[in-house]
Amino acid sequence: MSGAPAPLRVVSLVPSLTEAVAVSTPPGTLVGVTDWCTHPADLGGAARIGGTKNPDTAAIAALRPDLVLANEEENRAADLDVLRAAGLRVLVTEIRTLEQAFAELGRVLAACGVRARPGWLDEAEAAWAAVVPGDLTYSAVVPIWRRPWMVLGRETFAGDLLARLGVRNLYAGHAERYPRVPLDKLLAAGPDLVVLPDEPYRFTRDDGPEAFPGLPAALVDGRHLTWYGPSLAEAPASLARALRAARR
């Protein structure tokens, strides 16, 4: 008589997906995660396999995972090709809108053997469904890096979330998704406010707002702005609070 099938062995190269899988699968499912995978705090015995842009592909192969989770934006195609050449199954997500996030999360969880829809996913969809569509009442620039300055451009997940909360990204029509724009041009664009997340660059009250004198600055939790996973349930309220505080 055969027993239950062995749990899948999963390596995640995407911090957002790491959190989603960790809270939705049995302990031990995640056998490898990146150095940037910080949630949940306890990832058990999962091995650290480098960064999202420089994973140790040999170490990943040595873990003998059944599945490697990746993202077309966060991970390099060359690294994923190496993993495929090693005979590993690689699932690559594309997430540029909230709808895509929910669809891809469902696909990822199904691939990880999750049969019952997790409660956090229902909570996240309900939280965003309750957001009243706005008329894009604020125009904004949204830096994600400085030295050089880089901002959100076209077709970004973070830009889609902000648009749902009434923020019109002045660079949403740019040809690039994350264009480099000199500070003087950002100021000349005439935004109503600047939105400063704490990742990937860690903008703080003392590092970022001073570059935009006289302009309201919304300091937002980068995890709520850029992660797709359980944090989506808290994101609308968290981001809205930061936007309101900046406009007072």
Side-chain angles (χ1 to χ4, degrees):
M1 181 175 177
S2 61
L8 289 179
R9 295 172 59 83
V10 177
V11 168
S12 174
L13 303 181
V14 186
S16 298
L17 299 181
T18 295
E19 182 178 19
V21 172
V23 302
S24 308
T25 61
T29 299
L30 282 168
V31 296
V33 298
T34 76
D35 296 340
W36 300 106
C37 294
T38 57
H39 290 74
D42 181 11
L43 285 169
R48 297 288 175 169
I49 47 75
T52 57
K53 297 290 192 285
N54 59 345
D56 185 337
T57 54
I60 294 171
L63 290 170
R64 298 177 292 103
D66 302 298
L67 179 65
V68 177
L69 301 176
N71 176 263
E72 50 95 25
E73 177 175 275
E74 294 201 44
N75 308 118
R76 301 186 308 170
D79 293 322
L80 304 184
D81 288 342
V82 170
L83 295 174
R84 293 189 185 97
L88 301 181
R89 178 188 175 200
V90 180
L91 187 159
V92 183
T93 57
E94 179 185 293
I95 299 176
R96 302 188 183 187
T97 67
L98 183 63
E99 287 86 355
Q100 274 189 311
F102 288 135
E104 290 285 60
L105 283 166
R107 185 166 74 104
V108 164
L109 294 177
C112 291
V114 178
R115 298 179 184 275
R117 182 181 174 86
W120 64 260
L121 192 51
D122 288 331
E123 292 171 8
E125 289 196 344
W128 281 100
V131 173
V132 177
D135 295 323
L136 301 182
T137 53
Y138 311 134
S139 65
V141 293
V142 191
I144 57 167
W145 202 261
R146 66 183 302 178
R147 306 182 192 95
W149 287 95
M150 297 176 66
V151 298
L152 293 184
R154 65 173 179 85
E155 297 179 3
T156 66
F157 173 69
D160 186 54
L161 296 193
L162 289 172
R164 294 167 186 273
L165 295 168
V167 176
R168 179 171 62 90
N169 175 14
L170 290 176
Y171 287 88
H174 197 280
E176 298 177 25
R177 297 184 65 214
Y178 301 100
R180 296 185 181 189
V181 184
L183 181 58
D184 59 343
K185 289 191 176 182
L186 295 180
L187 295 170
D192 296 322
L193 77 162
V194 57
V195 178
L196 298 170
D198 62 8
E199 62 175 76
Y201 185 91
R202 187 171 180 78
F203 288 106
T204 67
R205 294 196 179 279
D206 301 319
D207 185 355
E210 81 290 344
F212 300 86
L215 196 64
L219 293 161
V220 302
D221 186 325
R223 180 165 163 263
H224 289 148
L225 182 62
T226 63
W227 286 40
Y228 28 86
S231 60
L232 280 172
E234 308 163 356
S238 171
L239 295 172
R241 280 195 302 271
L243 293 168
R244 284 195 301 268
R247 295 289 293 175
R248 284 176 186 159

